[in-house]
Amino acid sequence: MKQIDFSNTRINGGFWAQKQSLVREVSSHAIYKRFKETGRFDAFKFDKSVNPHFFWDSDVAKWIEGVAYLASEKREPELEAIVDELVSEIAKNRDECGYFNIFHQIIEPENRFKIRDHHELYCAGHLMEAGVAYYEATGKRELLDLMCDYADYIERRFLIDKDTDFVTPGHEEIELALVRLYDCTGEKRYLDLAKFFVDERGASDEQGYDWANNIYNQSHKPAREQFTAEGHAVRAVYLYCAMADIARKFGDVSLKEACERIFEDISERKMYITGGIGSSHLGEAFTAPYDLPNLISYTESCAALGLALFAHRMLLIDNDSRYADVVERAIYNGFLSSISLDGTAFFYTNPLEIMPDLHTRDASTTDNSMWLPIMQRKEVFDCSCCPPNILRFIASIANFLYTCDDNAIYVHQFMQSESTINVGSRAVKISQKTDYPYNGKIELCTDSDVRLAIRIPEWCNTYKGETVKGYAFFDAKANEPITIDFEMKPFFVGANPRVAFDCGKYAVQKGPIVYCMESHDNGKMLRDLYLDSSADFSASWNDALGVPTLTIDAYRRKDTDKLYYRKGDDTTDLYKTSATLIPYFAFANRGEAEMQVWHFVK
Amino acid sequence: MKQIDFSNTRINGGFWAQKQSLVREVSSHAIYKRFKETGRFDAFKFDKSVNPHFFWDSDVAKWIEGVAYLASEKREPELEAIVDELVSEIAKNRDECGYFNIFHQIIEPENRFKIRDHHELYCAGHLMEAGVAYYEATGKRELLDLMCDYADYIERRFLIDKDTDFVTPGHEEIELALVRLYDCTGEKRYLDLAKFFVDERGASDEQGYDWANNIYNQSHKPAREQFTAEGHAVRAVYLYCAMADIARKFGDVSLKEACERIFEDISERKMYITGGIGSSHLGEAFTAPYDLPNLISYTESCAALGLALFAHRMLLIDNDSRYADVVERAIYNGFLSSISLDGTAFFYTNPLEIMPDLHTRDASTTDNSMWLPIMQRKEVFDCSCCPPNILRFIASIANFLYTCDDNAIYVHQFMQSESTINVGSRAVKISQKTDYPYNGKIELCTDSDVRLAIRIPEWCNTYKGETVKGYAFFDAKANEPITIDFEMKPFFVGANPRVAFDCGKYAVQKGPIVYCMESHDNGKMLRDLYLDSSADFSASWNDALGVPTLTIDAYRRKDTDKLYYRKGDDTTDLYKTSATLIPYFAFANRGEAEMQVWHFVK
């Protein structure tokens, strides 16, 4: 199965065109502005006064990657000029052996490759991805070449001389980056180095931060013996991406099996309905199966995004719709919630429930030790990994659209778009016309006869045709559109009874989109609103937010002065009202408010 | 209205006789043993090597008070010998001016009355209560005399010389203790000193611990302007006790009104259904109205006990059954849960829900920063204020039974007992025969004609007779028993919709007893058990625990491998099962288990 890069697609309207123009026109500049103000760009001039953090390199690298993806579609001279200046600083300031790391070159030169948790290889990996992307988008290869030198140096130190104080990095990323560097350059040594880092992980007793155990960075077992998703969620999914890449490229069966079991562990035991993962703020980590609390959900934006990357890689190994279903769940919900509707602000954590009152409950002490996610997006964070990650992800969202083999094009996601795909030796143009994700009707048209495999989304329970691993096959005729129409009615979703905090409650989903309630639309005390699950939803549109809404009959208890009352007393009387829901991704765009994804029903 | 002390009553059978013999035979010795082992007793010898904590004095003082109450009913030579030795150590080691404080005399003599939060006056107060109790029970007055000297010294320093570094203590207690000292000795200066501490509280800007604001110890406003329950819950209710005492003894209307408003704030906005108060572990404090989370409820044993003390004092001001109802709610639930059924172990915090899985959810870090209450009682704590408080409270439980005026005896609580009460100039013998709280039938008999005012419990909704402020009046004839039978059927209780964590759920109560579910009886995943609120409960008895049980039809969802499912799918099918509940006070006597007080119903 062959990956069809986003660069083969032009998103020419609809949902994702709006998001892409938002990140092009707003987010790319907004992130630059805040990173510039915080010294992240000046740090590349080795300006020690800006006090560089040990992974600022990666923040800027992801921004470069995002700019590259934007430039791939339409050149961005202003932004490219900034990138070009950064590249010249890297060229100027890098070590003669090819090493480049701002923090380690100007603050702790004595600690090069000595401290496993210092993110050197993580930063290197992101710079490599940036180098590949910038070259592929613009043809400018200086950064790519610099990064090849750097990769060569890393290979020498880690793989040949073995004179570093650790074997595998504390934060994974370089593994998948080296695979990309190999894909771009054809240099097999980079793929072998990626495999080396995957092979060595957990093979020896490498520890990391003293407040974490070696589960935290997936060093508790050799990769091939890891069957459950553990530890820091972003680290984890970046590793799983590389494991899937290596499994595919080497035909490594045991690695593939580990990936499959890990994917199942995530998608059937450790994933929020939004596709968010990593439920604990302690270690930003996966925890026990079914441990998915809503109020204290961590669900880092980068983790949801990384889950999509991992799931898509699994699709390249085994074309099963469960992988693309998870991609869809993440990109429309737990990932998409991370960016404000105006493109300027970002969530690091993406809670599934907000009770503002809880944030100020402890009136008599100066501290509130109960960890709670922030309630509003921010322009920048001290640890600002998410904003540029979101930029590069949205700019390359079409990566998830298609794969192909020699006979057929596999249609995984639905976006208004035009693509050119090499199927065997033929270049096939394929277009989608659709208002997805708000409407389930998709018109597919190709310019030559070709076999199409279209994913039947997990949420669609009305499709009656035959499917293979969740895909329906069609023989498309040149210029004869195929129309498929997935009936998109709102429905209630229950969670496994083992998910304690969802018991007695249901979520609302329409198509791939999970809806939520905010007190802006429903008044406070959302928890005491009981949706009438036998009633029909009516759909509408919120002009101010630019999103659809769903309204349904609901009930509330009468307000009362009584603290406790006997069931059956007057107080228990419910009065009829209605509840209005908005897409989860659109929450927290109107100021602090109560929000919930899981609702009581009647 | 006149208080009838427990010493006028003999509990001669039934529920409380069992509890009293338990604390006499087991708890009094168990607490002594653990306090002895931890150095609390040796500290009175001024043995510096035991490294005394700055409020150990009060731990032992409450134990002395408990021993006194036991001795009041039946002398305890072995325990009294220990007390007598302690008293001689106090006499030997106290300062010549009457001051006695182990920590300040041997560790920080330079800080006498300089640090507001050092609990000197708190310890003094508990020693005064012990001195009064020990004198009243045994006639031995040495400790009482020592404490009068101490009170004189405190009066001189705080009220006359005013040469201390603070005006009011960081932890209230001495205020109510001085009232008791006055009641016992008739020395009006002690009452005036108590009033001084109440009057001065919040009058100037006195601060306490640097991590708390002056709400923490009720210093944010003058007492007469405090209309809401704030800050550290035990400190708060001890203050409110003193405020009620002063209001009553001085006919102080504004103080009485403050007490009434505070009581309403607690009972209608800040009290768990168990009578537990102080919902936050941060500052062990009251928080916002309706902020009553179950999993992280703090609800200190001493706070529930203190609420009963405050409520009873309010009853002496205004004979309204809502005060005695709160006493009843606390003593049978949130207080009684604090002692194990075998009398050896104690809860400091009394959670309303336990999920053992949550205590180990963060597998990859060495810390779990989410505060959760302990799941099993302990024999002793570093801060072990609760165990001896529980001892003295149970030993004197009959304090809550009666009050009287010149014409009538007011029957507030129901316990198998015999009492002698001076009504006007007559000594009236009154007896109760009852299996309360497990049966609502009470037979009251007096040895002469007397008017009885019997509280109709808040939970009883079948009583049809006339009542005045919740009391039904009867003219009892000598030796002609009056039988009252409160129908005791289990019922479901709802909470105010503003209590977010109780929304959609109901508690189960029978008579004054709140019931709970434990996984011992129902299997794990209690949260996914839906009680059939239209079914009838059947009552039974758990011999091992020695408590009644309630069983009712219930439903569970089928277990499934699916993490999420569409409502209406097979997975939503419920299967019929049953749920068994035990009294809340009996939870956590069979090892760690899930427990919950609030249940979903169907």
Side-chain angles (χ1 to χ4, degrees):
Chain A
M1 189 72 70
K2 199 173 68 179
Q3 164 64 8
I4 308 301
D5 279 344
F6 76 94
S7 55
N8 299 290
T9 292
R10 200 167 67 84
I11 292 177
N12 57 5
F15 188 86
W16 287 105
Q18 189 272 328
K19 294 292 173 199
Q20 289 196 330
S21 82
L22 185 74
V23 299
R24 178 183 298 277
E25 286 155 28
V26 180
S27 311
S28 63
H29 300 278
I31 296 166
Y32 169 71
K33 181 165 173 283
R34 299 299 283 141
F35 278 10
K36 177 77 180 163
E37 285 166 6
T38 52
R40 281 169 168 84
F41 279 85
D42 290 336
F44 278 74
K45 299 176 187 160
F46 278 32
D47 177 350
K48 204 170 173 172
S49 73
V50 301
N51 192 21
H53 187 271
F54 67 92
F55 52 81
W56 273 5
D57 308 22
S58 65
D59 291 348
V60 174
K62 280 181 278 187
W63 180 84
I64 296 173
E65 199 183 333
V67 168
Y69 297 153
L70 297 175
S72 174
E73 162 102 12
K74 182 166 77 70
R75 299 301 289 259
E76 286 286 350
E78 187 191 340
L79 298 174
E80 286 179 45
I82 299 166
V83 174
D84 293 339
E85 195 192 325
L86 286 169
V87 174
S88 69
E89 293 293 349
I90 295 172
K92 191 171 77 188
N93 292 320
R94 69 171 180 156
D95 192 280
E96 57 197 11
C97 54
Y99 181 87
F100 178 81
N101 183 288
I102 301 171
F103 179 84
H104 273 270
Q105 285 181 270
I106 67 177
I107 308 285
E108 292 189 13
E110 71 281 12
N111 281 333
R112 181 183 298 183
F113 296 148
K114 285 189 194 292
I115 301 175
R116 190 170 181 233
D117 285 305
H118 267 192
H119 289 47
E120 287 165 286
L121 298 183
Y122 169 81
C123 287
H126 276 303
L127 284 166
M128 288 172 194
E129 288 203 81
V132 169
Y134 201 58
Y135 164 67
E136 290 179 344
T138 66
K140 300 179 195 171
R141 59 177 306 140
E142 187 176 8
L143 184 57
L144 176 64
D145 289 341
L146 291 168
M147 288 305 117
C148 287
D149 291 350
Y150 195 0
D152 295 342
Y153 174 66
I154 291 168
E155 179 196 31
R156 180 156 62 75
R157 294 292 306 274
F158 283 84
L159 189 55
I160 300 167
D161 294 349
K162 294 187 190 293
D163 62 355
T164 55
D165 280 6
F166 55 90
V167 181
T168 64
H171 195 314
E172 298 94 325
E173 153 66 20
I174 194 160
E175 302 84 350
L176 72 88
L178 285 164
V179 175
R180 286 191 74 178
L181 200 60
Y182 158 73
D183 283 341
C184 176
T185 63
E187 178 54 75
K188 177 82 168 18
R189 288 185 297 111
Y190 300 146
L191 184 62
D192 291 337
L193 184 57
K195 182 168 180 295
F196 167 81
F197 284 128
V198 168
D199 288 348
E200 290 297 321
R201 182 156 291 271
S204 58
D205 186 27
E206 290 195 290
Q207 195 59 45
Y209 295 116
D210 56 11
W211 47 262
N213 58 32
N214 58 13
I215 295 172
Y216 171 76
N217 50 22
Q218 301 76 44
S219 302
H220 55 302
K221 283 178 186 173
R224 287 169 186 76
E225 294 169 24
Q226 294 192 27
F227 302 135
T228 55
E230 302 292 347
H232 185 274
V234 177
R235 282 169 166 79
V237 285
Y238 284 8
L239 171 65
Y240 307 151
C241 282
M243 286 166 61
D245 283 341
I246 302 291
R248 179 164 59 95
K249 292 192 184 269
F250 288 87
D252 188 324
V253 174
S254 60
L255 208 47
K256 168 174 170 280
E257 193 190 323
C259 288
E260 287 168 346
R261 292 175 66 169
I262 286 168
F263 182 86
E264 184 176 321
D265 189 50
I266 295 175
S267 61
E268 293 301 327
R269 287 181 284 280
K270 295 177 180 171
M271 181 183 70
Y272 286 93
I273 189 172
T274 57
I277 54 170
S279 67
S280 175
H281 75 289
L282 286 171
E284 312 181 310
F286 288 107
T287 65
Y290 308 107
D291 175 39
L292 298 165
N294 296 311
L295 273 166
I296 54 169
S297 53
Y298 197 76
T299 51
E300 185 181 338
S301 310
C302 293
L305 169 170
L307 174 59
L309 297 176
F310 171 43
H312 187 69
R313 279 162 167 84
M314 293 305 293
L315 206 49
L316 292 168
I317 296 177
D318 175 15
N319 199 89
D320 188 314
S321 66
R322 65 194 176 120
Y323 299 120
D325 285 331
V326 163
V327 169
E328 180 172 86
R329 187 181 288 282
I331 66 177
Y332 287 107
N333 301 292
F335 162 73
L336 200 56
S337 58
S338 66
I339 183 168
S340 64
L341 294 175
D342 70 3
T344 61
F346 308 91
F347 270 134
Y348 190 107
T349 52
N350 296 271
L352 275 84
E353 182 171 18
I354 294 177
M355 286 192 196
D357 291 350
L358 264 191
H359 291 246
T360 53
R361 66 183 290 258
D362 297 296
S364 65
T365 61
T366 51
D367 184 34
N368 181 335
S369 80
M370 184 181 186
W371 182 86
L372 291 167
I374 57 170
M375 294 184 279
Q376 292 283 288
R377 295 173 188 83
K378 290 186 180 183
E379 292 185 0
V380 69
F381 302 87
D382 289 342
C383 173
S384 213
C385 51
C386 300
N389 222 357
I390 295 160
L391 168 65
R392 68 171 184 148
F393 189 84
I394 291 177
S396 60
I397 195 76
N399 272 337
F400 298 103
L401 213 41
Y402 300 112
T403 59
C404 75
D405 59 21
D406 288 344
N407 302 308
I409 296 172
Y410 290 78
V411 185
H412 305 298
Q413 304 299 332
F414 309 106
M415 304 177 187
Q416 168 89 23
S417 59
E418 290 173 352
S419 310
T420 306
I421 296 173
N422 290 321
V423 183
S425 54
R426 293 181 300 152
V428 178
K429 281 198 191 332
I430 178 169
S431 67
Q432 292 190 31
K433 284 190 189 162
T434 182
D435 287 326
Y436 206 88
Y438 298 146
N439 188 303
K441 187 172 169 186
I442 304 123
E443 187 187 292
L444 289 138
C445 190
T446 58
D447 68 349
S448 58
D449 294 1
V450 70
R451 197 157 167 75
L452 294 181
I454 300 175
R455 177 177 63 98
I456 309 304
E458 178 193 26
W459 54 261
C460 172
N461 68 345
T462 52
Y463 184 79
K464 302 295 180 207
E466 207 176 315
T467 61
V468 178
K469 291 188 178 180
Y471 288 78
F473 285 80
F474 299 86
D475 287 310
K477 302 288 170 201
N479 304 314
E480 288 180 16
I482 292 174
T483 297
I484 191 158
D485 194 352
F486 302 120
E487 191 190 21
M488 213 178 249
K489 280 180 67 174
F491 58 98
F492 286 93
V493 182
N496 189 296
R498 291 165 193 274
V499 184
F501 293 96
D502 296 343
C503 284
K505 299 179 180 180
Y506 292 91
V508 172
Q509 196 174 330
K510 182 183 177 187
I513 293 184
V514 175
Y515 280 68
C516 72
M517 283 202 286
E518 279 195 308
S519 49
H520 293 297
D521 305 305
N522 300 288
K524 289 187 70 173
M525 295 196 277
L526 293 182
R527 282 215 177 188
D528 209 49
L529 204 44
Y530 304 84
L531 309 191
D532 185 345
S533 62
S534 65
D536 288 326
F537 284 95
S538 66
S540 188
W541 190 263
N542 183 316
D543 283 325
L545 292 175
V547 298
T549 62
L550 294 174
T551 299
I552 193 167
D553 290 346
Y555 298 86
R556 271 191 187 278
R557 282 184 290 170
K558 285 183 192 162
D559 201 3
T560 170
D561 286 338
K562 275 191 179 178
L563 184 51
Y564 301 108
Y565 62 88
R566 183 183 287 248
K567 188 172 191 290
D569 280 4
D570 284 354
T571 327
T572 56
D573 285 358
L574 296 164
Y575 67 90
K576 195 171 173 180
T577 178
S578 67
T580 295
L581 298 91
I582 61 168
Y584 170 75
F585 70 74
F587 85 90
N589 279 282
R590 294 173 286 180
E592 280 180 14
E594 287 185 25
M595 185 277 288
Q596 72 182 24
V597 169
W598 292 93
H599 320 284
F600 290 124
V601 300
K602 242 206 113 55
Chain B
M1 189 73 71
K2 198 173 70 179
Q3 163 64 9
I4 308 301
D5 280 344
F6 77 93
S7 56
N8 299 291
T9 292
R10 200 167 67 84
I11 292 175
N12 58 6
F15 188 86
W16 287 105
Q18 189 273 328
K19 294 293 174 198
Q20 289 197 328
S21 82
L22 185 73
V23 298
R24 179 184 297 277
E25 285 154 29
V26 180
S27 311
S28 63
H29 300 277
I31 295 166
Y32 169 72
K33 182 165 170 286
R34 300 298 285 141
F35 277 11
K36 177 79 181 164
E37 285 166 8
T38 52
R40 282 170 168 84
F41 279 86
D42 290 337
F44 278 75
K45 297 175 189 159
F46 278 33
D47 177 349
K48 203 170 175 172
S49 72
V50 300
N51 192 20
H53 187 272
F54 67 91
F55 52 81
W56 273 5
D57 307 24
S58 65
D59 291 349
V60 174
K62 280 181 277 188
W63 180 84
I64 295 173
E65 199 183 332
V67 168
Y69 297 152
L70 297 175
S72 173
E73 160 101 14
K74 184 167 75 71
R75 298 300 290 260
E76 286 286 348
E78 187 191 340
L79 298 174
E80 286 179 46
I82 299 166
V83 174
D84 294 339
E85 195 192 324
L86 286 168
V87 174
S88 68
E89 293 293 347
I90 295 171
K92 192 171 78 190
N93 292 320
R94 69 171 179 155
D95 192 279
E96 57 198 12
C97 54
Y99 181 87
F100 178 82
N101 183 289
I102 301 172
F103 179 83
H104 273 270
Q105 284 180 272
I106 69 179
I107 308 285
E108 292 190 12
E110 70 280 11
N111 281 332
R112 180 183 298 183
F113 297 148
K114 284 189 194 295
I115 301 175
R116 190 171 181 233
D117 285 305
H118 267 193
H119 288 47
E120 287 165 285
L121 297 183
Y122 170 81
C123 287
H126 276 302
L127 284 166
M128 288 171 195
E129 287 203 82
V132 169
Y134 201 58
Y135 164 68
E136 291 178 344
T138 66
K140 300 178 194 173
R141 60 177 304 140
E142 186 176 9
L143 184 58
L144 176 65
D145 290 340
L146 291 168
M147 289 305 118
C148 288
D149 291 350
Y150 196 178
D152 295 342
Y153 175 67
I154 291 168
E155 180 198 29
R156 180 157 63 75
R157 294 291 307 274
F158 283 84
L159 189 56
I160 300 167
D161 295 348
K162 295 185 188 293
D163 61 354
T164 56
D165 280 6
F166 54 89
V167 181
T168 64
H171 195 317
E172 298 93 327
E173 153 63 23
I174 194 162
E175 301 85 350
L176 72 87
L178 285 165
V179 175
R180 284 190 74 180
L181 200 59
Y182 158 72
D183 283 340
C184 176
T185 63
E187 178 55 75
K188 177 82 168 17
R189 287 185 300 111
Y190 301 145
L191 184 64
D192 291 338
L193 184 57
K195 183 168 179 297
F196 167 80
F197 284 128
V198 168
D199 288 347
E200 291 297 319
R201 181 155 292 271
S204 58
D205 187 26
E206 291 195 287
Q207 194 59 45
Y209 296 116
D210 55 12
W211 48 263
N213 57 32
N214 59 12
I215 295 172
Y216 171 77
N217 51 22
Q218 301 78 45
S219 303
H220 55 302
K221 283 179 187 174
R224 286 170 187 76
E225 295 169 24
Q226 294 191 26
F227 301 135
T228 56
E230 302 292 346
H232 185 276
V234 177
R235 281 170 166 80
V237 286
Y238 284 9
L239 170 65
Y240 307 151
C241 282
M243 285 166 62
D245 283 341
I246 302 290
R248 179 164 59 95
K249 290 187 187 271
F250 288 87
D252 188 324
V253 175
S254 60
L255 208 48
K256 168 174 170 279
E257 192 190 321
C259 288
E260 285 167 348
R261 291 176 67 168
I262 287 169
F263 182 86
E264 184 176 320
D265 189 51
I266 296 175
S267 61
E268 292 302 329
R269 288 181 285 279
K270 296 179 178 169
M271 180 183 70
Y272 286 92
I273 190 173
T274 57
I277 54 171
S279 67
S280 174
H281 74 289
L282 286 172
E284 312 181 310
F286 288 106
T287 65
Y290 308 107
D291 175 39
L292 298 165
N294 296 309
L295 273 166
I296 54 168
S297 54
Y298 197 77
T299 50
E300 184 181 338
S301 310
C302 293
L305 168 169
L307 175 59
L309 297 176
F310 172 44
H312 187 69
R313 279 163 167 84
M314 293 305 292
L315 205 49
L316 292 169
I317 296 177
D318 175 16
N319 200 91
D320 188 315
S321 67
R322 65 194 176 119
Y323 299 119
D325 285 332
V326 163
V327 169
E328 181 172 87
R329 188 179 287 281
I331 66 177
Y332 287 106
N333 302 292
F335 162 71
L336 201 56
S337 57
S338 66
I339 182 168
S340 64
L341 294 175
D342 70 3
T344 62
F346 308 91
F347 270 134
Y348 189 105
T349 52
N350 296 272
L352 274 82
E353 182 170 18
I354 294 176
M355 286 193 194
D357 291 350
L358 264 191
H359 290 247
T360 54
R361 66 183 290 259
D362 297 295
S364 65
T365 60
T366 50
D367 183 33
N368 181 336
S369 79
M370 185 183 184
W371 182 86
L372 291 166
I374 58 171
M375 293 184 279
Q376 292 283 289
R377 294 174 189 82
K378 290 186 177 181
E379 291 184 359
V380 70
F381 302 85
D382 288 342
C383 173
S384 214
C385 52
C386 300
N389 223 356
I390 296 161
L391 167 65
R392 69 173 184 147
F393 189 83
I394 292 178
S396 60
I397 195 75
N399 272 337
F400 299 103
L401 214 41
Y402 301 112
T403 59
C404 76
D405 59 22
D406 288 345
N407 302 309
I409 296 172
Y410 290 78
V411 185
H412 305 296
Q413 305 297 333
F414 309 106
M415 305 177 185
Q416 168 88 22
S417 59
E418 290 173 352
S419 310
T420 305
I421 297 173
N422 290 320
V423 183
S425 54
R426 293 179 302 149
V428 177
K429 280 196 193 332
I430 178 169
S431 68
Q432 292 189 31
K433 283 189 190 164
T434 183
D435 286 326
Y436 206 88
Y438 298 145
N439 188 303
K441 188 172 168 189
I442 304 123
E443 187 187 294
L444 288 138
C445 190
T446 57
D447 70 348
S448 57
D449 293 2
V450 71
R451 196 156 167 76
L452 294 183
I454 300 175
R455 176 177 64 98
I456 309 305
E458 178 192 26
W459 55 260
C460 172
N461 68 346
T462 52
Y463 185 79
K464 303 294 180 207
E466 206 176 315
T467 60
V468 178
K469 290 187 178 181
Y471 288 78
F473 285 80
F474 299 86
D475 286 310
K477 302 288 170 200
N479 304 314
E480 286 180 18
I482 290 173
T483 298
I484 191 156
D485 193 351
F486 302 120
E487 191 190 21
M488 214 178 247
K489 279 181 68 174
F491 58 98
F492 286 94
V493 182
N496 189 295
R498 292 166 193 272
V499 183
F501 293 97
D502 296 342
C503 284
K505 300 180 180 181
Y506 293 91
V508 172
Q509 195 175 330
K510 182 182 177 188
I513 293 184
V514 174
Y515 279 68
C516 72
M517 283 202 286
E518 280 195 309
S519 50
H520 294 298
D521 305 304
N522 300 289
K524 288 185 71 173
M525 297 197 278
L526 293 182
R527 280 216 178 187
D528 209 49
L529 205 42
Y530 304 83
L531 309 191
D532 184 346
S533 62
S534 64
D536 288 327
F537 284 96
S538 66
S540 187
W541 190 263
N542 183 316
D543 283 326
L545 291 175
V547 298
T549 63
L550 294 174
T551 299
I552 192 167
D553 289 347
Y555 297 86
R556 270 190 187 279
R557 282 184 291 171
K558 284 182 191 162
D559 202 2
T560 170
D561 286 337
K562 278 192 178 175
L563 183 51
Y564 302 108
Y565 62 89
R566 185 183 285 249
K567 188 170 191 294
D569 282 3
D570 285 354
T571 326
T572 55
D573 286 357
L574 296 164
Y575 66 91
K576 195 170 172 181
T577 177
S578 66
T580 295
L581 297 92
I582 62 169
Y584 170 74
F585 70 73
F587 85 91
N589 278 282
R590 293 172 288 180
E592 279 180 16
E594 286 185 25
M595 184 276 288
Q596 72 182 23
V597 169
W598 292 93
H599 320 285
F600 290 125
V601 300
K602 243 207 111 54

